[in-house]
Amino acid sequence: MKGIGWEDVGVELTGSVVEGLRGAFLGAGYTVEGVAARLGAQADGALGRNETTLAVRRTGSGDALDTMIRLFLLQQVVPKELVDKAFPGIDLVALGIVSGEKAVLDIRPFAEDDQQWWVVADLTPGLDGRREPMRSDYVLGIAPASLSLVHLTVPINAERALDIGTGCGIQSLHLANRVNQIVATDVNPRALELARATAALNRIDLDVRTGSLFEPVAGERFDLIISNPPYVISPPDSQLTYRETSFAGDSLVQQLVQQAPQHLTDGGWCQLLANWTCVRGQDWRDRLATWTGDRSAWVVQREQLDPSEYVELWLRDAGLHGTPAYQTRYDEWMRWLDDQQVEAIGMGWITLHNVAGTLDAEEWPYEIERPIGPHVLRRFERKEGLPADLTDLHLVVADDVIQETTGQPGAEDPATIVLRRQRGMRRAEQVDTVMAGFVGACDGELIVGQILAALADLLDRQLVDVLTEYLPQIRLLLVEGFLDY
């Protein structure tokens, strides 16, 4: 294995050192399951909320696993003799991992299915309520946003994938078992060093390149492009590279989406997390439709914040809450958003499939199944694959669909009928008695046209009127997975 530079200390992380670290982690049981078992449910849950007190209480044995938990996850001072015992023959100080008996990097276990990995990043901020301003080239580790993208990614096998804004490299880990070649890019040189360390520690070949957006891959195409970009919409003088850029407003995300088809193979996929501005006098859906153009795309707005909520969120994230700079920065940011005519900021995800099509854009702040990627893939397949004429299809009801009815006791008909999916997006669709009757008849025996003809006869209505009214609803239920064929 070729040696790589670890962080910015200029030390070569050779193959023997990598294998020594892996062996120490595995031998100690420093895995997601091992840490959870050692801490117990209560302390593990508290640590997930950045509270370490209970975990400190559970990790005082001095064995290798407790040492690693205290060193990397709890950011405690750990005596040198215990660190040397946990990592025999490896000088963590010389490697720039430890300084003054405390870790200066976070090496954290991460698991997916039957895979055990470790992610190298900067120390998690905010433990036990302590919050200090971050360094400008801070490299974020495992976080809710990065896990959201992991769960969103469509589960395809691919020849080539591109991870734009790789950070610590967690997305590339997720792709490693089903993509032959992964290119990871970032504008932050320190992020690239830590991504290299993450890849080496997990025996993953990663083509790491420096540059913005598609500059490092000019003229190349990929089957899958993923990105958790620095999408925070802030004044251009902001300094946190992992979340902010010098691009105006949401133009970084706009350029990423607009340029993606030029770097995708036919039928390739681009998926990213994003924030976008809701500009006064414009519908945000119309704005994003100009980004996706004539490509098949789906945008889901998971949350929308007014400007003050948005500014407060990211000032807290930067560790500025309660500092002398907070109020000044708050006012500057709000004035800047007002100058940009921003009335709200949308937060969510964008999936673009490189085939001809249209944009579906919607708000969906409700609970979803994780991972959602398989359902995203299936929704595109249904939307793009349905024939223009549905009347010859044999349909069945998806096995996760339930029907809910409400109304006055004793009433002949329910006041409302709701079909609810328990998987995927967990959607609910209100239907009338005719549509409910149609869905109830979808057992795969009769074709759509036959069921609608029977309903038209029962209702004493013209068949053409029934087809006109209910075929669009049937298509919607097919696209959203209530019905299948």
Side-chain angles (χ1 to χ4, degrees):
M1 181 185 297
K2 186 176 74 172
I4 64 172
W6 187 299
E7 206 231 336
D8 53 8
V9 295
V11 175
E12 287 290 303
L13 183 64
T14 63
S16 60
V17 172
V18 168
E19 292 308 309
L21 287 171
R22 284 181 58 88
F25 290 146
L26 289 170
Y30 187 59
T31 63
V32 172
E33 294 80 4
V35 171
R38 177 61 58 91
L39 296 183
Q42 188 178 26
D44 191 45
L47 185 57
R49 301 187 299 273
N50 280 356
E51 299 292 340
T52 69
T53 303
L54 298 179
V56 170
R57 191 186 302 167
R58 297 293 298 267
T59 53
S61 73
D63 72 5
L65 179 55
D66 282 357
T67 295
M68 293 172 187
I69 293 172
R70 286 194 165 191
L71 190 65
F72 297 119
L73 304 186
L74 309 185
Q75 301 176 25
Q76 298 286 304
V77 172
V78 179
K80 184 178 185 300
E81 57 269 23
L82 291 181
V83 175
D84 291 343
K85 181 180 176 183
F87 297 95
I90 302 174
D91 189 343
L92 297 191
V93 173
L95 289 172
I97 300 172
V98 170
S99 176
E101 298 187 328
K102 291 190 71 174
V104 295
L105 291 175
D106 184 311
I107 305 179
R108 183 174 299 259
F110 174 60
E112 186 179 31
D113 299 326
D114 58 348
Q115 296 292 319
Q116 293 288 343
W117 292 310
W118 297 274
V119 175
V120 184
D122 274 322
L123 295 173
T124 300
L127 293 187
D128 301 317
R130 303 188 305 272
R131 195 74 192 206
E132 299 177 359
M134 298 176 179
R135 54 186 293 172
S136 62
D137 59 353
Y138 179 85
V139 180
L140 188 67
I142 301 170
S146 58
L147 293 179
S148 292
L149 185 56
V150 165
H151 295 147
L152 174 66
T153 304
V154 291
I156 62 169
N157 294 318
E159 180 61 31
R160 303 190 77 212
L162 173 62
D163 177 8
I164 296 177
T166 187
C168 65
I170 185 173
Q171 305 303 326
S172 294
L173 285 184
H174 172 67
L175 298 177
N177 289 332
R178 50 192 175 85
V179 176
N180 289 334
Q181 182 191 12
I182 304 171
V183 178
T185 69
D186 208 294
V187 297
N188 182 358
R190 191 159 180 273
L192 295 177
E193 288 300 309
L194 298 192
R196 288 189 184 98
T198 294
L201 195 55
N202 294 285
R203 299 173 176 167
I204 290 171
D205 292 327
L206 192 61
D207 182 350
V208 177
R209 307 182 192 180
T210 304
S212 176
L213 294 176
F214 295 102
E215 292 171 359
V217 294
E220 299 181 49
R221 290 185 179 268
F222 300 86
D223 305 299
L224 176 64
I225 297 171
I226 57 169
S227 183
N228 180 16
Y231 50 66
V232 175
I233 298 167
S234 62
D237 60 345
S238 299
Q239 297 297 315
L240 292 177
T241 305
Y242 84 92
R243 71 178 206 185
E244 297 160 338
T245 73
S246 60
F247 287 81
D250 53 19
S251 61
L252 178 138
V253 174
Q254 176 184 357
Q255 291 186 43
L256 201 160
V257 173
Q258 288 179 330
Q259 295 174 21
Q262 305 168 33
H263 297 275
L264 286 172
T265 55
D266 293 339
W269 297 84
C270 175
Q271 295 187 280
L272 62 147
L273 304 184
N275 289 183
W276 47 81
T277 56
C278 302
V279 180
R280 295 186 187 100
Q282 298 182 36
D283 189 311
W284 67 270
R285 299 168 185 84
D286 295 337
R287 287 193 68 240
L288 270 62
T290 66
W291 301 0
T292 58
D294 64 354
R295 300 293 87 186
S296 180
W298 184 23
V299 175
V300 178
Q301 183 169 273
R302 298 287 288 150
E303 189 174 7
Q304 187 180 96
L305 299 180
D306 72 39
S308 61
E309 293 174 310
Y310 190 79
V311 170
E312 291 159 15
L313 168 68
W314 293 113
L315 286 177
R316 285 194 300 270
D317 179 77
L320 295 180
H321 195 269
T323 69
Y326 179 84
Q327 206 164 12
T328 300
R329 185 62 179 161
Y330 193 129
D331 184 60
E332 291 172 347
W333 202 332
M334 287 294 295
R335 289 177 182 273
W336 180 82
L337 289 172
D338 190 56
D339 289 342
Q340 306 298 311
Q341 301 294 304
V342 175
E343 62 181 5
I345 295 93
M347 310 167 73
W349 74 62
I350 300 173
T351 298
L352 182 144
H353 190 201
N354 194 28
V355 300
T358 57
L359 169 66
D360 286 345
E362 63 176 316
E363 298 181 42
W364 193 256
Y366 312 108
E367 182 183 359
I368 62 174
E369 183 179 5
R370 295 180 184 272
I372 194 65
H375 301 281
V376 172
L377 179 62
R378 184 69 182 117
R379 186 185 188 277
F380 273 90
E381 291 172 344
R382 289 191 297 260
K383 177 189 173 186
E384 297 163 359
L386 281 175
D389 182 5
L390 305 179
T391 56
D392 288 332
L393 296 180
H394 293 265
L395 304 184
V396 294
V397 183
D399 58 11
D400 67 317
V401 174
I402 59 174
Q403 178 175 301
E404 301 173 351
T405 60
T406 59
Q408 293 295 321
E412 183 175 347
D413 294 314
T416 60
I417 304 173
V418 174
L419 303 177
R420 189 180 302 277
R421 288 202 63 194
Q422 300 173 82
R423 302 201 60 200
M425 297 291 284
R426 296 180 172 147
R427 295 190 185 276
E429 292 289 340
Q430 186 171 335
V431 298
D432 63 14
T433 54
V434 177
M435 196 69 235
F438 173 86
V439 172
C442 289
D443 58 5
E445 293 295 324
L446 300 176
I447 61 174
V448 170
Q450 290 172 319
I451 299 174
L452 290 178
L455 288 170
D457 186 58
L458 181 66
L459 298 169
D460 194 24
R461 292 181 59 183
Q462 293 291 321
L463 177 57
V464 66
D465 294 336
V466 173
L467 293 174
T468 300
E469 181 174 356
Y470 289 103
L471 281 176
Q473 297 181 46
I474 294 169
R475 183 174 295 275
L476 174 65
L477 293 181
L478 278 163
V479 169
E480 302 301 348
F482 291 85
L483 299 171
D484 212 338
Y485 64 101

